Amino acid sequence: MIQKVVGSLEEAVAGVFDGATVMIGGFGEAGSPIELIHALIDSGAKDLTVVSNNTGSGEVGLAALIANRRVRKMICSFPRTANSTVFPELYKKGEIELELVPQGTLAERIRAGGAGIPAFYTPASVNTPLAEGKEHRVFKGNTFVLEEGIRADFSLVKAHRADRFGNLVYNKTARNFGPIMCMAANTAIVQVKEVVEAGTLDPEQVVTPGIFVQRVVEIAHPAHESELVAAKRRYPW
Amino acid sequence: MIQKVVGSLEEAVAGVFDGATVMIGGFGEAGSPIELIHALIDSGAKDLTVVSNNTGSGEVGLAALIANRRVRKMICSFPRTANSTVFPELYKKGEIELELVPQGTLAERIRAGGAGIPAFYTPASVNTPLAEGKEHRVFKGNTFVLEEGIRADFSLVKAHRADRFGNLVYNKTARNFGPIMCMAANTAIVQVKEVVEAGTLDPEQVVTPGIFVQRVVEIAHPAHESELVAAKRRYPW
Amino acid sequence: MVDQAPKGWTMNEVAQKLALDIPDGSYVNLGIGIPELVADHVPEGRELIYHTENGLLGMGPVPSPGTEDPELINAGKKPVTALPGAAYFHHADSFAMIRGQHLDVCVLGALQISGKGDLANWSTGEPGAIPAVGGAMDLVAGVKHIYVISQHTTKTGEAKIVRECTYPLTGKGVVSRIYTNLAIIEVQPGGLYVLEMAPGVTKEYLQAQTDAPLVGFP
Amino acid sequence: MVDQAPKGWTMNEVAQKLALDIPDGSYVNLGIGIPELVADHVPEGRELIYHTENGLLGMGPVPSPGTEDPELINAGKKPVTALPGAAYFHHADSFAMIRGQHLDVCVLGALQISGKGDLANWSTGEPGAIPAVGGAMDLVAGVKHIYVISQHTTKTGEAKIVRECTYPLTGKGVVSRIYTNLAIIEVQPGGLYVLEMAPGVTKEYLQAQTDAPLVGFP
């Protein structure tokens, strides 16, 4: 019987190796899989390349992963947000790499990785510093830049509900990068508020079909990043 | 007030011009917008380039559009199905053009057209006659072929329910090409079984957001293509 | 002439004028900050649909205190609401809307705008600064009409409308119109055409506040 | 040796052997026709998830008469059912699963298979024939393991397992295993290795029915 639900956060993040590429879902705190990130910190994995839209807030979640020196390189669109001090400080000291990618290009590169598309052309960033050194090409009179798909060894994603097959539904704008990051990872690891019986999720309403998901862990009451940041919490506690 | 629902099939297909590129949804009869196709025949538009997975059955729907000599060129993956005689006969006589595209490449080209991606690389068709004359390129040791996005002037699509904003949900495997064809058309025209009040469709469950849809027409009791074919019906009746 | 500087319109008034120029039924993306003011001024009888690139069409106003949901936010990561007829979607679909030219209008702020419609609004290019681009480059490359809303000059009085942008570009030749406290300016192939000037603003004063040449006036 | 030709396995028996080689929990796409037999032989205790490229994961058996839904069909356009835990999706997402190497096994029929695993299964290349490819080229390019199930020779006794395909290719070097009425053959870098032969089939007989050289036997 197919059973993708695992019993613990430790099992969920097992096997993340040093040097792995890890995608981490979320747009700000919405959709950020904070418990999975903390479990990844506990696992000790280091030298990671992390793909995520932002770089976290305060000293919890993604910011804590960075603060604990587990991240060699960030691939993201917006590393500078409110209450984001950990990444900027390390970056200014030259202690972490940054690959800055326009948000839509980042999303499409992730989707391409998941869809078996090695590269595609996009108009975004043409004539800007972010397109420098990249191949340019004209289609029907307009100039586009070549961008490559990204795949990850692991993705950490937060969704709303899952069944044992790994079918997922999300909550509101916490959906953001979750579905495409599940597609693009060899091992997509998902925390959900609730695991439901097979057949509970309407097949018309499944957002991420289970084929894109390898492990599910139930975290019924996930922490709110903003509350932890406001309380100046720091992980490990 | 935004009101994409129109009152008649005639209004729905108004403006389809001679020489237009028209995408037509459906995989076999599932999702085939038969009433919209018949209205397109009635409109008189000709010299069309039609993008659709198949070429229709019997002498109704897409097959009738072809039989009525409105189609100059078909772009499709499988023009030869059970009860499909109209296209093969014209093709053998050299009276209709065919661009044969692998099904996944067809879907991705349509999605790319809708997503503003002018071209992408895919592994499908490499080393086959369908890749001849196309640009090849190696990424990470594997060979891929360059394929261009397709856009349409109009798409004809069948969905299940819509609201006045054009938000859509579909029915089972009749979803197939509908969502991507709505994305890829300047004017996406959709027939639905039921128009519902704004707010009735759960925002989590909308499959095609209304931004991709320009016109909606309610056809509460659409014909079943297979029944029409079995009864040897021919359009125009 | 600078010593009797006209104040021009308030940014609220500018937002109101910009809102008047967005046709009924448009799909609109509003940048973070001043652009958000536009939503407060949609004329009676018009219905606009707001897109936020983090995955929502049909974004509604700020929720009443106590009803905020940390999983229902806008691109500025602030709580919002969803109106009847809204839809959620993932990031690749959201930017397919943008890149695929399905959005009608995007209103953005600016650091610099050139006379040819080049826009710089993401980085001052200072060494050591943390670069952050977000969705700005995708928006200017994909949305049909890019409107800039901004003070006419910087806080220290330097021109924002320049001959050539000195900051790194967000996009080249992308801006359609510029709405400032002093004037509404259209970017045309021949140059910058002034459509309207704020009360008390003269051609000479406006040009003095503008580095790029203004080639037409109302 | 041909005059005492062994019949070999029935295609049902071949399908049963193939089904045994698909691990528990696999995502599987079955081609139209003989490949569909595989679904009838999944060993007790294993759970496979069937994908049909027209937009369904979790495809179930043929519906009972009278319960067919013309909008719930498989890639062969025949009525099917959806099991608990199924999901519907659009064509681009469906082929993202295929191209993105998310499917474990695809079972296909063949016109010809070469000794290097080249597959021809969509066209005999006859002039005047209506070409039709469907999803076959995407499947062979994207699915992790391509298994062919087929009669060992054509109806007229010609070899299907050939040195070089003469029909237009579906894909080059894509086939992992060949399951026929006479043998189970693995395509390895060094050539075709026979894993198992049907009762009564000798090495000599099998090679005589096979144009490509068989380089290893059980």
Side-chain angles (χ1 to χ4, degrees):
Chain A
M1 194 182 84
I2 294 171
Q3 177 53 277
K4 297 185 181 177
V5 180
V6 300
S8 72
L9 283 161
E10 193 183 346
E11 271 182 84
V13 301
V16 180
F17 50 87
D18 293 352
T21 295
V22 181
M23 292 180 178
I24 300 183
F27 183 87
E29 83 173 302
S32 180
I34 194 164
E35 282 76 14
L36 284 174
I37 302 170
H38 289 168
L40 180 60
I41 294 172
D42 295 347
S43 83
K46 60 182 191 299
D47 288 327
L48 304 173
T49 295
V50 170
V51 182
S52 193
N53 191 61
N54 306 107
T55 57
S57 293
E59 293 188 56
V60 294
L62 176 52
L65 186 71
I66 296 168
N68 281 273
R69 303 302 185 99
R70 307 300 173 76
V71 183
R72 187 181 64 74
K73 179 181 177 179
M74 282 297 312
I75 300 177
C76 71
S77 89
F78 209 84
R80 192 184 64 204
T81 48
N83 303 311
S84 165
T85 55
V86 166
F87 177 85
E89 282 171 18
L90 287 179
Y91 181 76
K92 282 180 184 167
K93 288 195 277 185
E95 294 178 4
I96 190 165
E97 280 180 63
L98 170 65
E99 179 179 341
L100 190 70
V101 184
Q103 196 172 134
T105 299
L106 182 65
E108 191 67 12
R109 288 181 64 190
I110 295 167
R111 191 256 172 201
I117 303 291
F120 60 89
Y121 291 92
T122 176
S125 87
V126 170
N127 290 307
T128 79
L130 298 191
E132 276 170 23
K134 292 183 176 169
E135 176 184 316
H136 287 65
R137 186 157 175 164
V138 175
F139 292 93
K140 294 178 185 157
N142 295 307
T143 304
F144 299 85
V145 63
L146 184 70
E147 294 282 354
E148 295 198 4
I150 315 180
R151 282 195 62 86
D153 299 300
F154 300 88
S155 282
L156 309 185
V157 163
K158 183 186 186 183
H160 193 55
R161 287 196 185 88
D163 62 21
R164 68 180 174 87
F165 297 106
N167 292 308
L168 305 179
V169 295
Y170 297 82
N171 184 43
K172 307 188 179 75
T173 58
R175 185 183 303 194
N176 58 69
F177 285 90
I180 52 178
M181 287 185 170
C182 287
M183 290 173 70
N186 292 335
T187 304
I189 305 165
V190 183
Q191 67 170 77
V192 295
K193 277 193 155 183
E194 191 187 3
V195 171
V196 298
E197 287 296 307
T200 308
L201 300 176
D202 182 341
E204 299 282 10
Q205 297 169 13
V206 169
V207 174
T208 294
I211 192 171
F212 295 129
V213 173
Q214 282 68 46
R215 300 179 197 162
V216 171
V217 62
E218 187 179 72
I219 304 294
H221 303 288
H224 291 284
E225 184 182 274
S226 52
E227 290 174 13
L228 297 177
V229 172
K232 299 197 188 304
R233 298 293 303 275
R234 175 189 295 187
Y235 195 84
W237 316 127
Chain B
M1 195 182 85
I2 294 171
Q3 177 53 277
K4 297 184 180 176
V5 181
V6 300
S8 72
L9 283 161
E10 192 183 347
E11 270 182 84
V13 302
V16 180
F17 50 86
D18 293 352
T21 295
V22 181
M23 292 181 177
I24 300 183
F27 183 86
E29 84 174 303
S32 180
I34 194 165
E35 282 76 13
L36 284 174
I37 302 171
H38 290 168
L40 180 60
I41 293 172
D42 296 346
S43 82
K46 60 182 191 297
D47 288 327
L48 304 173
T49 295
V50 170
V51 182
S52 193
N53 191 63
N54 306 105
T55 57
S57 294
E59 293 189 57
V60 294
L62 177 52
L65 186 71
I66 296 169
N68 282 273
R69 304 301 185 100
R70 305 302 173 76
V71 183
R72 187 180 65 73
K73 179 179 178 182
M74 281 297 312
I75 300 177
C76 72
S77 89
F78 209 84
R80 192 183 64 202
T81 47
N83 303 310
S84 165
T85 55
V86 166
F87 177 86
E89 282 171 19
L90 287 178
Y91 181 76
K92 282 180 184 167
K93 288 195 276 185
E95 293 178 6
I96 190 165
E97 281 180 63
L98 170 65
E99 179 179 341
L100 189 70
V101 183
Q103 197 173 131
T105 299
L106 182 65
E108 191 66 13
R109 289 180 63 190
I110 295 167
R111 191 255 173 203
I117 303 291
F120 59 90
Y121 291 93
T122 176
S125 87
V126 170
N127 290 307
T128 79
L130 298 191
E132 277 170 22
K134 292 182 177 171
E135 177 184 316
H136 287 65
R137 185 157 176 164
V138 174
F139 293 93
K140 294 177 185 157
N142 295 307
T143 303
F144 298 85
V145 63
L146 184 70
E147 294 281 357
E148 294 197 4
I150 315 180
R151 282 195 62 86
D153 299 300
F154 300 88
S155 282
L156 308 185
V157 164
K158 184 185 186 182
H160 193 56
R161 287 196 185 89
D163 62 21
R164 68 179 174 88
F165 297 106
N167 291 308
L168 305 179
V169 295
Y170 298 82
N171 185 43
K172 305 187 180 74
T173 59
R175 185 184 304 193
N176 58 68
F177 285 89
I180 53 177
M181 287 185 171
C182 286
M183 289 174 69
N186 293 335
T187 303
I189 305 166
V190 184
Q191 68 171 76
V192 294
K193 277 194 155 181
E194 191 187 3
V195 171
V196 298
E197 286 296 308
T200 307
L201 301 176
D202 183 340
E204 300 282 8
Q205 297 169 13
V206 169
V207 173
T208 294
I211 192 170
F212 295 129
V213 173
Q214 282 67 46
R215 300 179 197 162
V216 171
V217 62
E218 187 179 70
I219 303 294
H221 303 288
H224 291 285
E225 185 182 275
S226 52
E227 288 174 13
L228 297 176
V229 172
K232 299 197 189 302
R233 297 294 302 276
R234 174 188 295 187
Y235 195 84
W237 316 128
Chain C
M1 42 198 162
V2 183
D3 44 14
Q4 47 179 342
K7 290 174 65 179
W9 296 306
T10 65
M11 287 322 278
N12 250 315
E13 288 169 326
V14 178
Q16 189 168 19
K17 287 181 171 290
L18 195 160
L20 273 170
D21 290 347
I22 303 178
D24 189 26
S26 295
Y27 290 90
V28 178
N29 183 296
L30 299 178
I32 301 166
I34 293 174
E36 295 179 47
L37 293 175
V38 172
D40 299 334
H41 297 289
V42 176
E44 193 70 26
R46 278 192 211 171
E47 190 175 29
L48 305 185
I49 297 189
Y50 293 105
H51 171 266
T52 179
E53 59 263 37
N54 54 313
L56 169 61
L57 260 182
M59 181 173 66
V62 173
S64 50
T67 67
E68 300 91 347
D69 180 342
E71 298 197 324
L72 178 47
I73 60 174
N74 66 11
K77 306 193 174 77
K78 291 194 270 301
V80 293
T81 50
L83 298 175
Y88 298 109
F89 34 83
H90 63 57
H91 248 81
D93 281 350
S94 184
F95 280 86
M97 293 174 191
I98 292 171
R99 199 187 309 98
Q101 302 186 15
H102 300 282
L103 286 162
D104 299 297
V105 174
C106 177
V107 184
L108 290 171
L111 294 167
Q112 292 179 326
I113 314 109
S114 84
K116 291 165 193 148
D118 300 349
L119 175 66
N121 79 342
W122 68 284
S123 166
T124 56
E126 279 174 58
I130 313 294
V133 65
M137 289 183 183
D138 310 277
L139 285 161
V140 300
V143 178
K144 289 175 196 155
H145 302 285
I146 303 294
Y147 293 167
V148 163
I149 184 168
S150 172
Q151 293 288 339
H152 200 85
T153 57
T154 68
K155 282 175 189 161
T156 54
E158 288 160 285
K160 286 186 149 203
I161 305 174
V162 295
R163 281 162 199 270
E164 294 290 343
C165 295
T166 54
Y167 296 146
L169 291 190
T170 309
K172 197 174 174 73
V174 295
V175 176
S176 305
R177 284 194 182 183
I178 309 163
Y179 294 78
T180 79
N181 54 312
L182 299 186
I184 302 171
I185 299 171
E186 189 158 85
V187 182
Q188 296 186 6
L192 298 178
Y193 283 73
V194 180
L195 301 179
E196 189 179 349
M197 292 188 287
V201 175
T202 64
K203 292 181 186 183
E204 294 70 26
Y205 179 76
L206 189 64
Q207 182 64 73
Q209 302 296 309
T210 310
D211 178 39
L214 301 169
V215 302
F217 289 90
Chain D
M1 40 197 163
V2 182
D3 44 14
Q4 47 178 344
K7 289 176 64 181
W9 297 305
T10 65
M11 288 322 277
N12 250 315
E13 288 169 327
V14 178
Q16 189 168 18
K17 287 182 171 289
L18 195 159
L20 272 170
D21 290 346
I22 303 179
D24 188 27
S26 294
Y27 290 90
V28 179
N29 183 296
L30 299 179
I32 301 167
I34 294 175
E36 295 178 49
L37 293 176
V38 173
D40 299 335
H41 297 287
V42 176
E44 193 70 25
R46 279 192 210 169
E47 190 175 30
L48 305 185
I49 298 189
Y50 293 105
H51 171 266
T52 179
E53 58 264 36
N54 55 315
L56 169 61
L57 260 183
M59 182 173 65
V62 172
S64 50
T67 67
E68 300 92 347
D69 180 341
E71 298 197 324
L72 178 47
I73 60 174
N74 66 12
K77 306 194 174 75
K78 291 194 270 300
V80 293
T81 50
L83 298 174
Y88 297 109
F89 34 83
H90 63 56
H91 248 81
D93 280 349
S94 183
F95 280 86
M97 293 174 191
I98 292 171
R99 199 187 308 100
Q101 302 185 15
H102 300 281
L103 287 162
D104 299 297
V105 175
C106 177
V107 184
L108 290 171
L111 293 167
Q112 292 178 326
I113 313 109
S114 85
K116 291 166 194 145
D118 301 348
L119 176 67
N121 80 342
W122 68 283
S123 167
T124 57
E126 279 174 58
I130 313 295
V133 64
M137 289 184 183
D138 310 277
L139 285 161
V140 301
V143 178
K144 289 175 195 155
H145 303 285
I146 302 294
Y147 293 167
V148 163
I149 184 168
S150 173
Q151 293 289 341
H152 200 85
T153 56
T154 68
K155 283 175 191 163
T156 54
E158 287 159 287
K160 285 186 150 203
I161 304 174
V162 295
R163 283 162 198 270
E164 293 290 341
C165 296
T166 55
Y167 296 146
L169 291 190
T170 309
K172 197 174 174 72
V174 295
V175 176
S176 305
R177 285 193 180 184
I178 309 163
Y179 294 78
T180 79
N181 54 314
L182 299 185
I184 302 171
I185 298 171
E186 188 158 87
V187 182
Q188 295 187 8
L192 298 178
Y193 283 73
V194 180
L195 301 179
E196 189 179 350
M197 291 187 290
V201 176
T202 63
K203 291 182 186 184
E204 295 70 26
Y205 179 76
L206 189 65
Q207 182 64 74
Q209 302 295 309
T210 309
D211 178 39
L214 301 169
V215 302
F217 289 90

